[in-house]
Amino acid sequence: MQSPPLICPVSQLPLAPAPPRLVARLQGLARQRALRNEDARLIPEDFTAAWISADRQRAWLVRSGFGDFRPGEAVLLVPEDFAE
């Protein structure tokens, strides 16, 4: 039996693993103390991965192997986050 897909709690769209390049970019911003979540709190660089919504608007960070899908914890993404 196949597990149901993960769904963004805000948009209700499917989630996909973030590409390593995006995770590295977000970690770099966190190191510079320039990464905030939707609630405007600074995010520490202790995350190792992320899930992104299909509309590419939000990233949900993974810490200690678990995604943090609590309200306000997502990082809002911008088109530059996906630039090559």
Side-chain angles (χ1 to χ4, degrees), residues 15-16 18-19 22-23 25-26 29 35-38 50-61 74-82:
L15 294 172
L22 175 60
V23 174
R25 175 176 162 70
L26 296 176
L29 290 170
L35 186 64
R36 294 181 179 268
N37 64 17
E38 285 185 288
W51 291 91
I52 56 172
S53 57
D55 61 4
R56 299 172 86 169
Q57 298 294 306
R58 288 178 176 78
W60 301 90
L61 305 179
V75 172
L76 296 176
L77 301 173
V78 294
E80 293 80 27
D81 291 325
F82 298 96

